[in-house]
Amino acid sequence: MVVGAGGGKVLDTVRAVASELELPVVNCPTIASSDSPCSALSVVYTPEGEFAEYVFYPRDPDLVLVDTAVVARAPLRLLVAGLGDALATWFEARTVIEARSPNQLGGATTIAAGALAKLCCDTLLEDGVAACRAVEARSVTPALERIVEANTLLSGLGFESGGLAVAHSVHNGLTELRQTHSFLHGEKVSFGLLVQLVLEGKPTAEIERVLRFQTDVGLPVTLEQVGVKKPSDEDVGQIAQRTVAEDETAHHEPFEVTAAKVFDAVRAADAIGRAWRTHAGRG
Ligand SMILES: [Zn+2]
C-alpha cells in the first residue's frame, strides 16, 4: 500500500501514485484544510500554480486516519481554509440536487449525500468559531473534533456524492491570476461561494448568514482578501472566462451560466463583501 501523511498536495500526490500502481492507499491528513483526503480525485495544478484539471480514480482511499492532536497544533489559517472549503459543500450540493445535475462521480445525487452536506454546514455554523479558539489554544476539544469530521469526512462525501457548482469554478477562475497563488484552496472557495449565492439571486438574509460566519472565522469575502488588489476589468474578465470553461462545475447550475453573468456576480459579491467588512469594522 501507499501511505501518505501531510497536507492536501501531498495526499493528492499519494492518491495519484497509488492509483497508477494499483495499490491500496492510506491518507493521514495532518491538517483539516480541505475535503480532499476522503475523495477519489486529485486536483492538478500547472507548475505556475494555475488549476489544470481534476483527475478521477476508480475508488476512494482505503483508510483516512486523522489525529486531532496533530490538527490542533497546525496553524489556525489551515483549519480556517478547511472551513471555507466545507462551507461551500451544502450550497453547491443543494444547487446540484435542485438542478438534477450530475455529482462529481458523474452519477445522480442521493438524499443521503444531501443530508451529509447539510449536516456539514450545520456543524460549521455550530462549532466553527469554537474550533478556531481551540486551535489557537493548541487544544483538542469536542468542537474541534466535530469540525475535523465536518471539514474532512462530511465535506468530502458531500462534495463527491452531492456535487459542485459555481463556487469551485470561481476558485479555478481565481487561480488564473498569479496574485492569488499564495492563498489556500478553501480561501478562494470562500469568495467563490459568495459569488455563487449572488449569481443564484439568493435572499439577502442567507447571504448575510454566510458572510457573518466567514467574517467570524476569518475567511475572505473580497477579491482583495485573496490577493487581487484593485481588480481591473481585465482581471475580473479572466476569472469569469475560466469559471465558465467547458467541463466546469459552474454549468451544474439550473440556468445558463455565462462569462458576462459571472463577471457581474464577481463584481457584486466583492462590493457586498467590502461593504460587510466596513460595516463589521464599525461594530
Ligand atoms: Zn474544494
Side-chain angles (χ1 to χ4, degrees):
M1 67 175 70
V2 184
V3 181
K9 288 189 171 64
V10 170
L11 301 184
D12 272 22
T13 307
V14 162
R15 286 195 297 282
V17 169
S19 172
E20 196 68 30
L21 300 175
E22 295 179 18
L23 286 171
V25 62
V26 175
N27 277 347
C28 305
T30 53
I31 52 179
S33 66
S34 88
D35 56 20
S36 71
C38 292
S39 75
L41 68 85
S42 294
V43 182
V44 179
Y45 294 89
T46 66
E48 288 71 42
E50 288 159 18
F51 171 85
E53 58 174 338
Y54 295 114
V55 179
F56 295 91
Y57 309 121
R59 49 193 289 201
D60 288 295
D62 296 80
L63 174 67
V64 177
L65 194 61
V66 193
D67 183 343
T68 49
V70 174
V71 173
R73 287 182 198 94
L76 175 61
R77 184 182 170 191
L78 299 169
L79 185 85
V80 171
L83 294 172
D85 201 23
L87 181 64
T89 303
W90 161 241
F91 298 99
E92 291 184 276
R94 179 180 68 177
T95 294
V96 173
I97 290 166
E98 283 172 5
R100 294 171 183 256
S101 292
N103 64 21
Q104 281 314 97
L105 306 170
T109 57
T110 59
I111 49 173
L116 289 172
K118 183 70 169 60
L119 180 61
C120 179
C121 184
D122 293 346
T123 305
L124 297 195
L125 296 179
E126 188 66 34
D127 292 319
V129 173
C132 290
R133 295 297 88 81
V135 167
E136 276 173 348
R138 299 163 70 84
S139 304
V140 178
T141 62
L144 177 64
E145 301 224 304
R146 289 193 289 266
I147 286 299
V148 169
E149 181 178 345
N151 282 12
T152 311
L153 180 67
L154 296 178
S155 183
L157 295 172
F159 99 83
E160 201 161 55
S161 300
L164 296 177
V166 162
H168 269 76
S169 289
V170 170
H171 161 277
N172 296 342
L174 285 167
T175 68
E176 289 281 298
L177 304 182
R178 181 171 295 275
Q179 51 282 40
T180 70
H181 291 178
S182 59
F183 291 84
L184 299 163
H185 172 85
E187 293 172 333
K188 283 174 266 199
V189 169
S190 170
F191 180 70
L193 172 60
L194 206 51
V195 175
Q196 177 177 321
L197 297 176
V198 170
L199 185 73
E200 290 175 340
K202 291 303 180 197
T204 301
E206 178 172 302
I207 293 175
E208 290 190 345
R209 199 156 61 238
V210 168
L211 276 167
R212 188 166 297 114
F213 176 78
Q214 289 170 317
T215 319
D216 283 351
V217 299
L219 280 167
V221 296
T222 67
L223 281 171
E224 185 173 0
Q225 287 179 293
V226 288
V228 191
K229 296 197 178 79
K230 297 198 169 58
S232 64
D233 282 352
E234 202 185 338
D235 291 336
V236 180
Q238 222 177 324
I239 295 167
Q241 282 297 341
R242 183 64 184 80
T243 299
V244 300
E246 212 186 322
D247 297 333
E248 268 302 334
T249 54
H251 303 298
H252 288 166
E253 295 287 334
F255 51 87
E256 195 195 355
V257 177
T258 62
K261 283 183 196 169
V262 173
F263 184 101
D264 284 358
V266 168
R267 280 285 191 215
D270 184 46
I272 290 169
R274 281 184 286 117
W276 179 266
R277 274 169 58 78
T278 308
H279 177 73
R282 270 192 250 121

